[in-house]
Amino acid sequence: MSSLVYRRDIDGLRAVAVIAVVLFHFGVPGLTGGFVGVDVFFVISGYLITSIIWHQREAGRFSFVEFWARRARRILPALFVLIVAVLAVGWFLMAPKDYEALGHSVRYQVMFASNLLFMRQDGYFDVASDLKPLLHTWSLAVEEQFYIVFPLVLTLLASRFKHWRLALFSVLLISFGLSVWAVAQHPEKAFFLLPMRAWELLAGAMLAVAPVNKTRLTSSAAQCISLLGLGLILIAVFAYDKSTPFPGIAALLPVLGVVALIWANEHHTTWVGHILSSRLMVGLGLISYSWYLWHWPVFVFASYASVEEFGPGLTGALIALTLVLGYLSWRYIETPFRERRLLAGRRQILVAAGLGILVLGLAGQALRWTDGLPSRLPEHALQYANASHWRPELMACITDDKSPADKPFCRYGKTASAVEPAQLLVWGDSHGTALIPALEANAREHGVNVMLASSAGCLPLEGLEHGERCAAYNRRVEQALKKEPVTDVMLVARWSLYLYGDAKGDHGHALKDADGRYDPAVAEQKLADGVRARVEQLRKAGYRVWLMKEAPLQPFNPPYRLSRLAMLHKPTADVGFPLAEHLKQKAFINRLFAQIAATDAGITVLDPTPALCDASGLCRAQRDGHSLYTDDNHLSEAGARLMLPVLAPVFEEASAQALTGVSEVNTAR
């Protein structure tokens, strides 16, 4: 068993972990796997905490209350100060939706459960990760949960089982097995939840309670093991990236690397140990907790304030700022509390912790109750920010993974409560939902009944659906189509998503080859075949077909960018995306639709581009003080209203066919 003595090399190892995480989050090139620094922290925490618990148990002076008081003294003061600072900065800088989300995360974090919140925030329109100032506290929540449970588990095993170390190792193996399973089945749970992360902390714990071996490693063996350990960590830091299935088996590299380093340097001070024990590395390790706390909120708020992506100079300055804030937090908050210069008694720190939890929890909940205090914002900034979400009625029309299989299709017609048979079917993904304001208005004006079938992430093409949910949904639409006197069908989707993936390079929804690999040429061919097949099927059944092109994408989130620019008193008039770039992005789909429409007078292409892009060559993100988008690709209600004249020909044709009795053809179907 390891001796309970201060080890400079472990503080140096903390420095390695925090440097990797900070540089990764700031997008420094090369460190694509810097997120494994969190796993390094987990192993170190498991080792140190278990060493403290076990040595106090052996000395007969371990106290659960004292242990938890020490953890509160170590973690909570710096965390609470950070939360207060984040709430204060957010007051001046954050849009209501983001400020409300911040309040939600504050409430969960003070309950030691922010990992549960962030795990669930994987919905279709959830706030992007780089707009969550407390996202990084998920790892603190995991550790806090471990600190609550582990002393009880260790005490139970050690007092009830003769071979308790074997029992503890069995718990580690179970946790590791859960992690491997969850990475494939539920990756968000694998990443955020304690049961799938506990094995990393337990790896350090097992090292701390390992029986003392009188046979020491030779110096050369320790050197080799130490170098191997460092190598495993660095391989993960430089070779992994966001696409790496993690944690699971991939986490073995950093975890075993940390175990090897701690174990080897327990026997001999190695070359790696000398480097880790240097004054610089130890100093960074000492402030690593506070540095970790401050680095991510600085990144998030700088992203808000700067609007544009950071250049190298600004990135370096921001990293330096986080280091300074980390040092100040360590010196003036962490250290006084750890040295018991403030709230020295056990009862005092626990009462203060309880009050802090209560006050901050209520503050976070207040932001939820008040919808992020929109009154903080100037009127024009609030107007932009409000576009970041659709009305509940629109959201209710999207079918997704959480929707019941028999969720009714939305309908629009002569009156708001129209439930009459449909003459027009609008069929597609969530971009169909974005058109609801224009569909409603046109339906009432032209007296046409519309059925909207929109399912998030689902192409309205047979055989190209993303998963069984989409396939089942399309089958439902096909069955419903047979029962309605529909004369016209409009196909609408974010076509480029299935061709090329999203703006971040994620090809999750893009069409793949037979082996599941992404190739743009394959995706283009499959989409072309799928559109042609669906159009041919609909035309043979007698329907008039309308192919709706997608709106120009924006390379940013317009409501956030516009509201932030307004809050910073910067101009918003020329915010947008070049028309030439939009046409270049959509060249394939434009060519495909034109070719299909040229073969049959019953096929018409609808193009939203002229309504959103002007003669100056800019596809604008706003008009008359309103954001035209709710995110980087979906139209807002203001943007959808610009689609009224674009969609008008569909309704004029459907109305004319209804008047001339063409719907009788459908009865014969």
Side-chain angles (χ1 to χ4, degrees):
M1 186 183 302
S2 60
S3 57
L4 188 59
V5 296
Y6 171 66
R7 288 180 51 179
R8 292 174 60 87
D9 62 299
I10 293 181
D11 268 331
L13 196 52
R14 281 193 177 117
V16 172
V18 73
I19 289 170
V21 172
V22 171
L23 297 186
F24 166 73
H25 280 155
F26 274 90
V28 175
L31 283 83
T32 54
F35 55 85
V36 303
V38 171
D39 306 83
V40 175
F41 277 128
F42 283 162
V43 181
I44 293 173
S45 293
Y47 175 78
L48 294 177
I49 292 304
T50 307
S51 296
I52 292 170
I53 294 173
W54 191 248
H55 282 275
Q56 288 182 347
R57 277 183 54 83
E58 286 193 320
R61 52 186 177 84
F62 176 75
S63 163
F64 288 107
V65 176
E66 178 62 27
F67 171 79
W68 289 322
R70 285 171 59 91
R71 291 298 90 205
R73 186 180 300 281
R74 171 73 175 90
I75 294 172
L76 298 184
L79 175 62
F80 286 174
V81 169
L82 172 84
I83 291 175
V84 170
V86 166
L87 288 171
V89 175
W91 173 280
F92 296 101
L93 202 56
M94 300 187 81
K97 182 180 179 182
D98 295 340
Y99 204 40
E100 178 189 358
L102 174 61
H104 203 191
S105 58
V106 166
R107 183 165 65 87
Y108 268 77
Q109 177 51 38
V110 297
M111 295 189 300
F112 315 138
S114 65
N115 59 326
L116 303 180
L117 172 67
F118 296 130
M119 179 201 69
R120 294 201 304 267
Q121 287 185 340
D122 59 348
Y124 199 63
F125 286 104
D126 283 319
V127 178
S129 295
D130 57 1
L131 297 177
K132 299 176 183 177
L134 295 181
L135 177 64
H136 65 318
T137 62
W138 73 268
S139 63
L140 300 184
V142 169
E143 289 200 29
E144 288 159 347
Q145 293 160 14
F146 182 79
Y147 297 152
I148 292 171
V149 174
F150 180 67
L152 302 172
V153 172
L154 182 62
T155 299
L156 176 65
L157 293 179
S159 61
R160 297 292 180 89
F161 296 94
K162 179 179 179 180
H163 301 292
W164 60 270
R165 290 183 178 86
L166 182 60
L168 187 63
F169 186 66
S170 298
V171 176
L172 182 156
L173 292 179
I174 292 171
S175 174
F176 177 69
L178 286 173
S179 180
V180 173
W181 168 81
V183 162
Q185 303 298 324
H186 303 283
E188 70 286 349
K189 294 180 180 179
F191 194 87
F192 285 110
L193 294 187
L194 176 62
M196 291 74 170
R197 289 285 192 167
W199 70 274
E200 301 179 41
L201 291 128
L202 290 173
M206 290 301 304
L207 183 61
V209 298
V212 176
N213 192 334
K214 296 181 180 179
T215 304
R216 291 175 61 84
L217 287 175
T218 64
S219 177
S220 58
Q223 297 285 7
C224 291
I225 294 173
S226 183
L227 287 170
L228 175 63
L230 180 63
L232 292 176
I233 296 172
L234 294 181
I235 288 173
V237 168
F238 291 103
Y240 289 178
D241 59 29
K242 294 179 181 179
S243 67
T244 303
F246 201 84
I249 293 175
L252 280 173
L253 260 66
V255 169
L256 293 178
V258 176
V259 170
L261 274 172
I262 295 175
W263 183 54
N265 283 277
E266 185 178 285
H267 289 259
H268 295 278
T269 301
T270 65
W271 299 321
V272 175
H274 276 299
I275 295 172
L276 295 176
S277 300
S278 65
R279 185 174 181 179
L280 174 62
M281 296 298 287
V282 170
L284 293 175
L286 288 173
I287 69 169
S288 61
Y289 173 58
S290 282
W291 191 10
Y292 179 80
L293 282 181
W294 282 93
H295 86 281
W296 183 248
V298 167
F299 174 82
V300 170
F301 287 132
S303 299
Y304 255 88
S306 68
V307 180
E308 304 291 345
E309 292 186 2
F310 306 148
L314 180 57
T315 297
L318 290 172
I319 292 174
L321 174 61
T322 65
L323 188 57
V324 170
L325 291 173
Y327 170 77
L328 294 175
S329 174
W330 169 75
R331 180 166 183 178
Y332 296 108
I333 302 170
E334 274 194 74
T335 302
F337 277 95
R338 290 181 68 182
E339 294 180 352
R340 298 179 183 263
R341 285 183 266 150
L342 295 173
L343 303 178
R346 181 173 66 186
R347 182 176 180 180
Q348 289 176 301
I349 191 65
L350 290 176
V351 170
L355 288 174
I357 290 170
L358 178 63
V359 170
L360 291 175
L362 288 174
Q365 185 59 38
L367 293 183
R368 297 280 288 168
W369 286 331
T370 58
D371 299 320
L373 292 167
S375 58
R376 299 172 295 113
L377 275 66
E379 184 177 351
H380 60 302
L382 182 59
Q383 195 162 264
Y384 286 135
N386 285 340
S388 64
H389 57 274
W390 287 334
R391 284 181 282 128
E393 303 95 284
L394 271 68
M395 292 297 298
C397 282
I398 296 180
T399 299
D400 58 20
D401 293 329
K402 300 173 185 177
S403 303
D406 58 349
K407 180 178 179 179
F409 302 117
C410 288
R411 293 175 181 268
Y412 306 95
K414 301 174 185 178
T415 64
S417 59
V419 291
E420 300 172 12
Q423 297 149 266
L424 168 64
L425 167 68
V426 178
W427 186 2
D429 60 13
S430 58
H431 281 230
T433 304
L435 297 175
I436 287 176
L439 295 175
E440 279 186 304
N442 269 311
R444 294 185 187 180
E445 179 181 349
H446 296 281
V448 173
N449 295 316
V450 182
M451 180 169 70
L452 171 65
S454 63
S455 188
C458 295
L459 270 171
L461 309 179
E462 187 174 1
L464 300 182
E465 299 93 348
H466 185 68
E468 176 55 31
R469 173 181 69 84
C470 292
Y473 188 82
N474 280 345
R475 289 194 293 270
R476 276 191 62 210
V477 178
E478 291 169 349
Q479 291 300 314
L481 188 57
K482 296 176 181 178
K483 302 175 183 178
E484 302 276 340
V486 168
T487 60
D488 293 72
V489 177
M490 183 168 71
L491 302 178
V492 55
R494 183 183 172 186
W495 307 104
S496 62
L497 178 67
Y498 311 99
L499 287 172
Y500 313 119
D502 64 18
K504 296 182 179 179
D506 184 354
H507 298 122
H509 278 82
L511 300 173
K512 312 294 197 308
D513 64 17
D515 296 323
R517 294 173 298 192
Y518 172 69
D519 182 331
V522 171
E524 290 177 348
Q525 187 61 54
K526 294 186 77 169
L527 184 76
D529 293 343
V531 173
R532 288 193 174 98
R534 178 64 80 190
V535 170
E536 182 180 356
Q537 175 195 37
L538 292 171
R539 288 298 294 146
K540 283 183 177 179
Y543 302 104
R544 182 173 180 84
V545 177
W546 305 81
L547 296 173
M548 181 72 173
K549 296 181 183 179
E550 64 185 290
L553 305 180
Q554 297 289 347
F556 47 79
N557 190 311
Y560 293 129
R561 175 164 295 193
L562 292 166
S563 62
R564 282 179 275 166
L565 286 171
M567 293 169 72
L568 297 168
H569 306 289
K570 295 181 179 180
T572 60
D574 294 327
V575 176
F577 187 60
L579 173 59
E581 289 298 316
H582 162 65
L583 295 176
K584 182 179 178 181
Q585 287 180 351
K586 305 303 185 297
F588 175 81
I589 202 69
N590 290 345
R591 187 167 57 251
L592 172 65
F593 281 11
Q595 291 171 352
I596 294 174
T599 64
D600 188 337
I603 305 167
T604 305
V605 177
L606 303 170
D607 189 359
T609 301
L612 296 167
C613 307
D614 55 34
S616 69
L618 186 66
C619 299
R620 298 185 185 277
Q622 69 87 36
R623 184 172 294 182
D624 300 327
H626 293 273
S627 173
L628 301 181
Y629 295 79
T630 195
D631 55 24
D632 66 349
N633 64 95
H634 293 88
L635 291 176
S636 66
E637 294 195 47
R641 283 192 288 272
L642 296 180
M643 296 299 104
L644 276 165
V646 177
L647 300 183
V650 184
F651 288 84
E652 292 167 359
E653 183 68 27
S655 178
Q657 291 192 41
L659 291 174
T660 57
V662 175
S663 59
E664 295 177 5
V665 175
N666 294 311
T667 306
R669 291 189 196 119

